[in-house]
Amino acid sequence: MARFDTTGARSESVRRSNLAAVLRTIHLDGPATRSDLVAATGLTRSAIGALVGELAQLGFVVEQPSGGGGRPGRPSPLVRPAPGNVVVAMEVLVDSVAVAAVELGGAIAAIERQQRPRAELPAAPTIANLTAMAGELLAGLPPATRVHAVGVTVAGVVRRDGTVMVAPNIGWHDVALAAQLTEALDLGAPVVVGNDGDLGALGESRRGAAAGLADVVYVSGEVGVGGGIIAGGRQLTGTGGFAGEIGHVPVVPDGRPCNCGSRGCWETEIGEGALLERAGRPPDGGRAAVDELLAAAADGDATARAALAEHGRWVGIGLAGVINVFDPEMVVLGGSLAQIHPYIAASLTDELATRVFEEIRVQTEVVPAALGGDAPLVGAAELAWDLVLADPAHAP
């Protein structure tokens, strides 16, 4: 005979869950009336009133008259995020670092990005740089601002405890980034770290092109190629938290050497270096060289256009396998892939037409990232806010 769990939920657990549901709704969907919150959560009006009151006491929301919208009866108060609540988002890429303060509700209160040479930079000076940037950024915010958590996105393979196991394009191995930043920042706030592909997917699924979709693949191309997968509304992380390394799917058995130590990875065919080499330009030219290539293509340069078309074909070859495996509603192209999308869309689409099951292809949309290069940084902020939204009454 089948047995079922008959353990009832304690009232405290229910209250905590409901409090989280209300604050998450306001964070993700924006200001809402109490009536809107009743409809969104399925809770009673009296329950919503009590939960909103508790969130106001905790300093997370404020209420104001809604105006009524012309409807009869007493207007339902508008509940909106209270000012002065932020998380710090940080980004470590191959050629740049960034720090932002992001408010409850997703608005970016302040942001600073610094370019750096495309060279292997040790973790210690990078952490010192991020710490200094965060200090300057936070000093410019109102004195009463509360920093609840820190989220970090990094172009590398990240373990669940915030250790960067390997970041081949910046030369990192076994860097306890979460622990080291916690000590260096000394904010009394927890630090969480994620892979840039995973957090790009999170950012786009909450604030970007894929907002509201449950099955999404995010692919970002710069020096390397990363990815993130959301399946059934949940981030696909794998056993050790390393899922989504689609840039290292082998596509050419005896192909070019990859920075990961293997050969023929998809990254070696669709990274910036491969694109520039196809166009007869130095492969280490970086973003400036890509911009010059796109300018040439816009002016009708045949070599530039041919290189981009061939690049789109290789994007399609790898992407076809990803789409066939995950059957997503949307594929979001980030990083330089978003930048070059107008020039590769035709050849990419042609390749998918011959390699993807028609039943899957007709329901999968391939689009550039709506957040552009900020998608991973926005995702880092969302990762940090998740620590608060899970249990607002005991939030950091």
Side-chain angles (χ1 to χ4, degrees):
M1 178 181 295
R3 296 183 61 84
F4 299 94
D5 184 4
T6 58
T7 304
R10 296 188 307 162
S11 59
E12 172 62 21
S13 298
V14 173
R15 184 194 64 82
R16 184 183 300 121
S17 176
N18 289 342
L19 201 66
V22 172
L23 189 58
R24 185 175 294 275
T25 298
I26 294 168
H27 173 66
L28 294 178
D29 298 336
T33 65
R34 291 191 180 191
S35 298
D36 294 333
L37 292 172
V38 167
T41 64
L43 298 171
T44 65
R45 188 174 182 86
S46 61
I48 288 295
L51 292 167
V52 168
E54 184 172 353
L55 288 171
Q57 288 183 337
L58 291 168
F60 286 119
V61 302
V62 293
E63 289 190 275
Q64 63 185 56
S66 65
R71 291 174 292 185
R74 187 173 64 180
S76 179
L78 189 68
V79 184
R80 63 171 59 251
N85 294 289
V86 303
V87 298
V88 173
M90 295 181 167
E91 181 181 69
V92 181
L93 298 181
V94 176
D95 58 1
S96 67
V97 291
V99 176
V102 182
E103 298 174 344
L104 182 66
I108 297 177
I111 185 171
E112 181 182 355
R113 188 180 299 276
Q114 293 182 4
Q115 300 300 312
R116 62 179 188 170
R118 286 193 171 184
E120 295 185 1
L121 295 180
T126 300
I127 290 170
N129 191 16
L130 290 171
T131 302
M133 291 171 67
E136 293 178 7
L137 195 85
L138 294 175
L141 299 180
T145 299
R146 299 190 295 173
V147 178
H148 293 278
V150 179
V152 187
T153 177
V154 60
V157 178
V158 181
R159 204 165 62 194
R160 295 183 192 277
D161 65 358
T163 297
V164 181
M165 298 293 291
V166 59
N169 292 313
I170 55 177
W172 288 11
H173 295 273
D174 296 320
V175 175
L177 187 58
Q180 293 182 38
L181 271 173
T182 299
E183 181 178 357
L185 291 168
D186 194 25
L187 292 172
V191 176
V192 285
V193 182
N195 166 265
D196 62 329
D198 288 338
L199 296 184
L202 182 61
E204 285 290 333
S205 68
R206 290 194 181 173
R207 306 285 177 187
L213 300 184
D215 295 278
V216 179
V217 172
Y218 174 84
V219 184
S220 179
E222 296 286 356
V223 176
V225 173
I229 299 153
I230 293 175
R234 294 178 177 272
Q235 194 99 39
L236 188 62
T237 58
T239 303
F242 306 148
E245 289 295 325
I246 54 181
H248 298 287
V249 172
V251 294
V252 183
D254 298 314
R256 315 177 198 201
C258 181
N259 285 337
C260 74
S262 185
R263 301 184 69 91
C265 295
W266 192 27
E267 177 176 299
T268 66
E269 297 295 338
I270 69 167
E272 281 183 1
L275 171 60
L276 294 171
E277 194 173 313
R278 286 192 177 101
R281 298 168 184 246
D284 58 353
R287 298 187 188 190
V290 173
D291 290 341
E292 291 174 2
L293 175 63
L294 294 180
D299 289 339
D301 184 284
T303 300
R305 286 178 175 263
L308 286 160
E310 176 66 6
H311 202 73
R313 189 176 79 85
W314 277 103
V315 173
I317 289 171
L319 199 55
V322 173
I323 292 174
N324 281 333
V325 169
F326 293 105
D327 185 19
E329 297 171 83
M330 180 176 285
V331 174
V332 181
L333 301 180
S336 64
L337 294 179
Q339 185 182 10
I340 68 174
H341 179 262
Y343 298 95
I344 67 171
S347 57
L348 165 60
T349 300
D350 289 345
E351 203 63 39
L352 296 181
T354 64
R355 296 179 182 271
V356 177
F357 291 118
E358 182 178 3
E359 294 80 3
I360 298 176
R361 175 168 47 82
V362 296
Q363 62 187 19
T364 300
E365 190 176 4
V366 180
V367 302
L371 299 174
D374 287 336
L377 192 64
V378 171
E382 291 298 322
L383 185 67
W385 273 119
D386 279 348
L387 296 177
V388 178
L389 300 175
D391 188 4
H394 300 92

